[in-house]
Amino acid sequence: MSAPVENTVAEELGSMSLQEQPTDEDWEESDEDELDTFITGEQQIIPAIVSGIRSDDRQARLVATIKIRRLLQKRPPHVGVQPVINSGLVSTVVEMLSSEDTKFRAEAAWIVSNIASGTSEQTATVVDAGAIPKLVAMFPTDVADVQENALWALGNIGGDSTRFRDLVVKAGGVKPALDVLDAPEKYTEKVRNTASWVLTCYLTPRPGAEFALEVTSQMIPILTKFIREPSDISWDTLGYAVKALDQICANEEAAELTIKTGILPRLVELCTKGDADLRYNAIRCVGQFTAGTEASTDAAVEAGFLEALKACIGHHLVMIRENACWAASNVAAGSLPQVEALLNAGLLPILVAIVRDKHEVQKPRNEATWALANLVNMALVHPELIEALIEDRCIEAFSDAIVSQHFNTQRLAVQSLQKLLGRGSGCQDRALELFKGADGIARLRAVRDGRNTRGSEVGKTAHEILKDHYPDFVRRARV
C-alpha cells in the first residue's frame, strides 16, 4: 500500500516534528546552501515545496511555508520573489493570512511583505489576490509576530505607489499602526518600530498625490503624544515617528494643527538628542515650520530652535550640518524680528565659518551661503543690519564663496556682493577695503574671465562690480 500523499510530501521536504520546528538561529547555518536548490532552472519553486504548501498535512504545509519564507528572507527580491509568483503560490499564501493558526498567519504575512518588497508588478500580485483586506483583518491580535509581519506587509504595499497606498487607506490600513502608537505600552519594541516605519511608507511624498488632511489630522495627535512618551521607546522608533510628522508638516494646514499640540519644544529637544537619524529627522521636522508661514517660523524660534541649530551646524555629520544651515536660511528669509533673533543667538559667525571653511563639503556650504544671502536681502530694507554683517566677516565669506566649484554658491556670493558693496552707507568704504583685502578683486576677475562663466549672468555681474567699484582693475589682463 502506498503511503498517503501528505506523508510523502513531508518526507520529501525533510522530516520534522512540530516540536522540532526550526528557529531562525537553526536555519542561519543549515539552510543557506540549500536555498538555491528551492528554485528550478525554469525559475519556479521545486514541486516538493509547491505540493507541501498545498498539503492538508499541517507539518508538511508548515515546513514548506517556512522554506518559502526563508528563501525570500535570505535572497534579494529579484532572485526569490518571481519563482514564487511563477509557481502560482501567491493566492495560496494570501489565503493563509486568514488561517485560524497564528503560526501560518505570521509566516504568510512575512512572505507577503517580502513579495511586496519587489517591483510594482510583483506587489500587484498580492494586491490582486486580496491581501490588503486580509492583512487589515488580522488586527487586533495579541500575537507579536502577526502584528509585526502584517504591519510590515501593509507598509511595503502602501509604500509602493499612490494607487496601492490609497487602497490600503481605504481598507482601514492606517488604523493598525496608529493603534500601536496610541498605546505603545501594550506592544513590543519591534512592533512599535514597525508601526512607526509603516506611517513613513504611507506618507512618502508623491507629486500631485498628497495625503488627505482628513487622514493626517487623525495621525497628528497620536504621533505627537507618542513622541512625547518618556518610556523605553528606542531612538530608532522615535526617529521614524518624527520622520512621519515631518512628512505630514510639509502641508501648512497640517503644520498649524501640529503646532497647536505643543510638540515643538520636544522636537527642538530631539534636534540635539539621540542618534544621528533622530536628530536629522527632528531638524527636518522643525525646519518645515521655518519654511512655512511667519507664524509657524515664530513658533519654532520661540521653542528654542535657534539655540539648537548652533549645536547642529557644528555636528560631524554632513546631513545634519546641511539641514541645520537650510533651516537657518529659512529663518534668515523671514521677518525682521526673526532675523534679529538669529543674530542675537550668535548664528551669523557660525554660518560665516561654514562658508569660509575650504574643507567643508559643498551642500552645507551652499545652504550657509543662502543664509548669508537672505540676510543681505534683509539688510537692503533695514540698513542698520549692514554693520553686523560686516563685523562678522560676511564680506570675506562671500569672497571665499566666489571661488566655489558649485555654480549656485558662486552665483549667490557674487549677487550678494553686488548688493552689499553697492549700499551707500557709512560702511561702504570699509566694505570695499575688506573685500579688496580678501583677494576679492582677483577672484571677481577670475569669475568674469573664466571659461565656464565668461559671458554668463554671474560673469556679467562680476564685471559690473569691478566697473562700479574697482575701475582700475576692470581691464582684462593680456595673455
Side-chain angles (χ1 to χ4, degrees):
M1 180 184 298
S2 61
V5 173
E6 290 79 359
N7 290 345
T8 304
V9 169
E11 289 168 4
E12 214 172 330
L13 288 169
S15 180
M16 183 191 308
S17 69
L18 295 183
Q19 288 75 27
E20 296 170 333
Q21 292 169 12
T23 64
D24 285 349
E25 291 76 11
D26 294 332
W27 280 88
E28 291 294 340
E29 296 181 1
S30 65
D31 79 332
E32 191 63 33
D33 295 335
E34 186 187 10
L35 289 175
D36 294 331
T37 68
F38 294 171
I39 302 173
T40 70
E42 291 74 33
Q43 290 301 293
Q44 293 195 345
I45 301 300
I46 59 173
I49 295 178
V50 174
S51 300
I53 204 168
R54 291 172 174 162
S55 171
D56 291 333
D57 180 81
R58 183 183 186 278
Q59 177 183 338
R61 193 165 68 255
L62 181 58
V63 172
T65 302
I66 291 173
K67 286 180 180 287
I68 293 291
R69 188 258 290 174
R70 292 299 293 176
L71 173 67
L72 298 183
Q73 183 182 5
K74 287 290 188 176
R75 294 291 182 264
H78 71 274
V79 173
V81 169
Q82 198 57 46
V84 174
I85 296 171
N86 293 344
S87 301
L89 295 180
V90 172
S91 58
T92 303
V93 171
V94 168
E95 281 304 313
M96 208 179 285
L97 295 171
S98 301
S99 171
E100 294 182 0
D101 190 321
T102 57
K103 179 64 176 175
F104 282 105
R105 292 207 303 275
E107 292 290 342
W110 192 317
I111 293 171
V112 169
S113 72
N114 277 274
I115 295 173
S117 71
T119 66
S120 291
E121 290 74 18
Q122 290 170 337
T123 303
T125 64
V126 295
V127 173
D128 294 343
I132 294 175
K134 289 182 180 294
L135 288 166
V136 174
M138 294 170 82
F139 298 91
T141 175
D142 295 328
V143 182
D145 284 348
V146 174
Q147 294 165 348
E148 182 187 2
N149 297 349
L151 283 169
W152 202 292
L154 287 169
N156 279 346
I157 294 170
D160 180 87
S161 64
T162 301
R163 182 169 75 89
F164 291 162
R165 179 201 69 185
D166 291 346
L167 288 174
V168 170
V169 173
K170 186 176 180 180
V174 175
K175 187 177 185 300
L178 290 182
D179 285 347
V180 172
L181 303 186
D182 197 28
E185 69 283 354
K186 296 180 180 179
Y187 300 89
T188 67
E189 175 56 23
K190 289 179 69 176
V191 173
R192 295 194 297 245
N193 184 274
T194 305
S196 299
W197 169 80
V198 164
L199 293 183
T200 69
C201 295
Y202 296 163
L203 292 161
T204 299
R206 296 185 174 92
E210 266 194 14
F211 228 129
L213 185 63
E214 64 183 82
V215 179
T216 55
S217 62
Q218 298 170 25
M219 297 180 183
I220 291 169
I222 293 174
L223 276 171
T224 52
K225 180 170 75 75
F226 181 77
I227 291 167
R228 283 197 192 94
E229 288 287 336
S231 62
D232 59 345
I233 296 168
S234 70
W235 296 130
D236 188 49
T237 299
L238 206 53
Y240 282 131
V242 173
K243 181 180 179 180
L245 195 61
D246 166 34
Q247 293 166 316
I248 289 171
C249 290
N251 176 284
E252 284 190 2
E253 289 181 84
E256 289 177 12
L257 292 174
T258 301
I259 291 171
K260 291 177 181 177
T261 68
I263 192 63
L264 271 173
R266 171 62 168 162
L267 292 173
V268 168
E269 176 191 0
L270 294 176
C271 290
T272 56
K273 193 173 182 179
D275 64 14
D277 285 338
L278 174 56
R279 293 186 183 196
Y280 168 79
N281 287 320
I283 295 166
R284 288 292 307 177
C285 189
V286 184
Q288 293 284 9
F289 300 104
T290 66
T293 64
E294 183 175 336
S296 66
T297 303
D298 281 340
V301 171
E302 290 166 7
F305 190 39
L306 296 178
E307 283 298 320
L309 287 180
K310 290 167 65 176
C312 296
I313 291 175
H315 199 275
H316 68 280
L317 288 179
V318 172
M319 65 179 186
I320 291 181
R321 293 201 304 278
E322 176 192 358
N323 281 280
C325 290
W326 162 74
S329 75
N330 290 339
V331 178
S335 65
L336 178 60
Q338 290 164 1
V339 168
E340 289 174 337
L342 183 147
L343 297 176
N344 292 335
L347 275 164
L348 180 53
I350 299 174
L351 292 165
V352 166
I354 290 284
V355 176
R356 300 205 67 192
D357 185 356
K358 63 182 180 180
H359 299 296
E360 179 59 88
V361 296
Q362 189 51 56
K363 288 183 177 181
R365 201 177 186 198
N366 185 57
E367 293 296 345
T369 305
W370 263 113
L372 299 189
N374 287 336
L375 291 173
V376 169
N377 289 334
M378 180 61 75
L380 297 180
V381 182
H382 299 279
E384 66 273 16
L385 298 176
I386 292 177
E387 186 172 351
L389 299 183
I390 293 174
E391 283 294 329
D392 282 324
R393 308 188 72 177
C394 284
I395 297 290
E396 293 91 329
F398 286 131
S399 176
D400 291 336
I402 287 175
V403 295
S404 169
Q405 297 302 308
H406 190 275
F407 176 76
N408 191 52
T409 300
Q410 189 179 68
R411 177 184 62 82
L412 285 169
V414 172
Q415 290 177 347
S416 298
L417 280 166
Q418 185 179 43
K419 297 171 184 176
L420 200 52
L421 296 176
R423 296 297 299 175
S425 67
C427 300
Q428 185 179 33
D429 291 343
R430 184 181 173 207
L432 292 169
E433 281 301 313
L434 287 171
F435 183 65
K436 184 177 180 180
D439 203 25
I441 293 174
R443 291 168 175 176
L444 280 178
R445 286 163 65 95
V447 170
R448 181 194 64 183
D449 302 334
R451 183 177 61 181
N452 296 325
T453 51
R454 186 172 184 174
S456 68
E457 178 191 352
V458 70
K460 292 176 181 177
T461 304
H463 178 74
E464 290 172 5
I465 296 173
L466 290 169
K467 182 181 68 172
D468 293 342
H469 302 295
Y470 305 100
D472 292 344
F473 300 92
V474 76
R475 295 180 63 182
R476 288 184 170 85
R478 294 186 63 183
V479 295

